[in-house]
Amino acid sequence: MSPIPRPPAGWRERADSAVARGRRFDRFIPAALLDTPVSRIGYWYGCALGWTWGSVWSTGRIEKRAGLWVFRGLPSWAFPRGGVCVGACFLTGDDRPTDTVLRHEAVHRRQWRRYGFLMPVLYALAGRDPLRNRFEIEAGLIEGNYVPRGS
């Protein structure tokens, strides 16, 4: 695994700002869509997608860890960066994820439960830069291997 790059100066302030902006945006989402039976439908849909994708492409061991179904052995094109959480499924490559990474992914699982069908849309709107993506920041940038410890 390559070393984690040192983040640019001022990244914590930008990260805090991204989280605050996301929480302000949440106020415009109808309460009936957050942490409700409606969001659970989206969560279970995400779980079904994750199970399907993982079942089709996984060549490694499938196991339940930290409240997640971990599908290993997927080809590198089948998931972004080190892995992806879809519902309660973590899809990744050959390496066995650490407990620290799974704690990060478990936060994404809770985000899926809160936002349901909105999760993929909100995540995309938050952007690809993990240092500005509120969902990655809330899950823990260090735990997700986006910034090195001690940054």
Side-chain angles (χ1 to χ4, degrees):
M1 177 184 257
S2 63
I4 302 166
R6 183 154 302 287
W11 71 271
R12 284 187 194 273
E13 293 78 16
R14 287 191 296 277
D16 291 343
S17 176
V19 170
R21 187 172 44 255
R23 291 187 178 150
R24 283 192 306 271
F25 182 80
D26 281 0
R27 288 187 251 161
F28 295 102
I29 300 172
L33 298 179
L34 301 176
D35 276 329
T36 64
V38 173
S39 67
R40 294 301 186 279
I41 293 168
Y43 166 75
W44 286 112
Y45 179 76
C47 292
L49 282 177
W51 259 98
T52 302
W53 193 253
S55 297
V56 168
W57 297 111
S58 177
T59 60
R61 184 170 179 195
I62 300 169
E63 57 187 341
K64 181 104 183 222
R65 290 179 55 205
L68 296 161
W69 288 100
V70 180
F71 291 83
R72 290 175 26 206
L74 278 76
S76 60
W77 56 263
F79 61 92
R81 203 172 171 269
V84 65
C85 182
V86 183
C89 302
F90 180 56
L91 311 169
T92 191
D94 293 327
D95 294 337
R96 187 171 196 266
T98 66
D99 290 341
T100 302
V101 167
L102 291 179
R103 279 192 299 275
H104 172 92
E105 298 303 329
V107 174
H108 290 317
R109 176 181 175 259
R110 287 191 295 277
Q111 291 166 341
W112 267 95
R113 288 177 63 89
R114 176 170 170 74
Y115 295 101
F117 286 115
L118 296 174
M119 182 62 185
V121 174
L122 294 173
Y123 189 96
L125 290 173
R128 295 182 52 88
D129 179 358
L131 301 180
R132 295 175 186 255
N133 181 309
R134 63 154 319 176
F135 297 103
E136 294 300 341
I137 297 162
E138 289 172 346
L141 294 172
I142 293 170
E143 293 80 3
N145 291 324
Y146 290 109
V147 298
R149 294 201 179 281
S151 290

